[in-house]
Amino acid sequence: QVQLVESGGGSVQAGGSLRLSCAASGYTRRGACMAWFRQAPGKERERVSHIFTGRGYTYYADSVKGRFTISQDNAKNTVSLQMNSLKLDDTAMYYCAAQAEIGGSCFFASGYAYWGQGTQVTVSS
């Protein structure tokens, strides 16, 4: 059974940094996408970044490009999101997601079968 567990959220002042981690157990779809999504109150879930777990190709939403970095550690079966220069608009619940099979869309939430419980990121002024 696949389980995704996020960690690393918290409260930080604008301009600060946080590092989120997603530990995947029971997950061995090398080549499929893993992603970070976020959802702020009253807003739709938004894809922040995703990575192809095989070759390591990465993609970012325009809103975080240049500030966030997604990475993978295959030995530990984890995916991390380094978030720098955080802004008030980055405040949201952040979710880790993983595809069940290779080949589905990596850009939309519907393409992911497995989700973590989320970790809260709060950015204050």
Side-chain angles (χ1 to χ4, degrees):
Q1 184 174 353
V2 176
Q3 187 175 16
L4 304 178
V5 179
E6 303 99 334
S7 61
S11 298
V12 65
Q13 287 192 320
S17 299
L18 283 174
R19 184 177 181 85
L20 307 182
S21 290
C22 173
S25 60
Y27 185 70
T28 57
R29 299 296 188 272
R30 196 65 69 217
C33 286
M34 292 188 69
W36 287 95
F37 285 77
R38 66 186 181 186
Q39 188 166 19
K43 294 187 177 181
E44 292 188 355
R45 190 166 293 192
E46 171 192 23
R47 182 191 60 88
V48 175
S49 177
H50 71 260
I51 185 168
F52 284 88
T53 56
R55 299 192 175 192
Y57 297 151
T58 59
Y59 294 86
Y60 299 91
D62 288 342
S63 58
V64 306
K65 202 170 292 183
R67 300 188 297 120
F68 290 11
T69 302
I70 191 171
S71 61
Q72 59 181 348
D73 185 332
N74 291 331
K76 296 181 180 179
N77 216 19
T78 61
V79 173
S80 298
L81 186 69
Q82 177 67 41
M83 305 186 296
N84 298 328
S85 302
L86 283 161
K87 303 177 180 180
L88 298 180
D89 287 347
D90 294 321
T91 295
M93 184 71 79
Y94 283 70
Y95 298 91
C96 177
Q99 291 186 313
E101 300 293 340
I102 299 170
S105 174
C106 298
F107 289 87
F108 302 103
S110 59
Y112 295 84
Y114 308 113
W115 293 84
Q117 292 299 308
T119 185
Q120 178 67 38
V121 171
T122 302
V123 183
S124 60
S125 59

